[in-house]
Amino acid sequence: MNKLYTSYEEAVDSIQNGAVLMVGGFGLCGIPEILILALAHKGVRDLTIISNNCGVDDWGLGILLQNRQIKKIVASYVGENKEFERQYLAGEVEVVLMPQGTLAEKIRAGGAGIPAFYTPAGVGTPIADGKEIRNFNGKDYVLEEALMADFSLIKGWKADNYGNIIYNKTARNFNPMIAAAGKVTIAEVEEIVEVGQLNPDHIHTPSIYVQKVLKGNFEKRIERKTIQV
């Protein structure tokens, strides 16, 4: 089945106000930057965003934050974005913070069809407040529920027309897990190849998890530029 789209506007057309979105990437590495811009242009609001962080002030998810399109953010890191800090302290955006490993596992469990799991991370802290605690082999664990999304937006390196995807090095980060945990997964990639040209042993996200795939031209911004003097 050919899942190739040429219009980003058409690819995000079904995303409406109040949708729950998972967005791949770690900092600015491996983020679906053009899909985020398409959402900014579409102007959908009251979004719940599940992602590692919220980009920087003028790029990535930071653009949706500046546009006041985000109602709630579920993340493990909220640095690098002054507007995020301002909106949170002003009570303008709801934030759910959790340990990074817990966030990754909650997403992975959602994609695997596992409703909940026990983890030692957060026991004895406010993160565990109101949650079930069980003791296994003398150690306490907190019950964490899986996360799923209406839409998953991911960034890949190569894809074929069917939506089989390969990621490039660290840009792989959260993308494979997020691809599996969305009801509809939309992928933007650097290169589209014909079906059969990808080595099956190298495919990270099988096409069964992807509903739409697009080719993009990317800016490759650097979050923190470090130079030698």
Side-chain angles (χ1 to χ4, degrees), residues 10-226:
E10 184 180 353
V12 302
D13 186 61
S14 55
I15 300 177
Q16 300 299 322
N17 294 343
V20 177
L21 307 180
M22 283 187 186
V23 182
F26 192 103
L28 296 184
C29 179
I31 65 170
E33 57 195 61
I34 305 178
L35 286 168
I36 293 171
L37 290 173
L39 280 180
H41 180 73
K42 181 178 171 63
V44 286
R45 296 192 174 277
D46 297 326
L47 300 173
T48 293
I49 300 293
I50 302 168
S51 188
N52 172 256
N53 62 18
C54 204
V56 295
D57 283 311
D58 63 346
W59 196 238
L61 289 171
I63 296 174
L64 301 183
L65 198 66
Q66 285 185 333
N67 290 348
R68 306 296 183 90
Q69 294 175 258
I70 299 176
K71 179 184 69 175
K72 178 180 179 180
I73 298 173
V74 180
S76 60
Y77 178 66
V78 295
E80 317 299 340
N81 192 321
K82 293 181 180 178
E83 176 61 15
F84 185 108
E85 178 184 358
R86 190 201 66 75
Q87 289 191 22
Y88 174 64
L89 293 176
E92 297 173 358
V93 63
E94 182 181 352
V95 179
V96 179
L97 279 177
M98 63 189 67
Q100 187 160 276
T102 299
L103 175 64
E105 183 62 10
K106 284 165 78 77
I107 295 171
R108 191 201 68 81
I114 300 169
F117 60 93
Y118 289 97
T119 174
V123 172
T125 75
I127 290 174
D129 288 349
K131 298 175 182 174
E132 178 185 336
I133 305 292
R134 285 192 63 180
N135 188 285
F136 296 96
N137 300 318
K139 187 173 182 178
D140 286 337
Y141 294 76
V142 59
L143 181 66
E144 293 282 359
E145 295 186 7
L147 289 171
M148 289 171 281
D150 299 319
F151 296 89
S152 288
L153 310 183
I154 63 169
K155 161 79 178 298
W157 176 37
K158 290 184 179 181
D160 61 25
N161 294 347
Y162 285 1
N164 294 299
I165 293 174
I166 295 173
Y167 305 97
N168 188 19
K169 302 182 176 66
T170 53
R172 186 171 172 182
N173 52 66
F174 278 73
N175 280 299
M177 294 177 292
I178 284 178
K183 295 176 184 174
V184 175
T185 293
I186 309 172
E188 63 181 40
V189 299
E190 299 179 31
E191 181 179 352
I192 301 284
V193 301
E194 295 296 325
V195 173
Q197 291 186 349
L198 297 179
N199 184 332
D201 287 337
H202 295 168
I203 291 171
H204 301 125
T205 292
S207 62
I208 192 172
Y209 293 117
V210 178
Q211 282 68 49
K212 304 176 184 180
V213 61
L214 306 98
K215 183 181 181 304
N217 295 310
F218 304 99
E219 291 193 23
K220 297 184 184 299
R221 290 196 182 191
I222 299 173
E223 189 171 352
R224 288 190 181 187
K225 184 179 291 184
T226 301

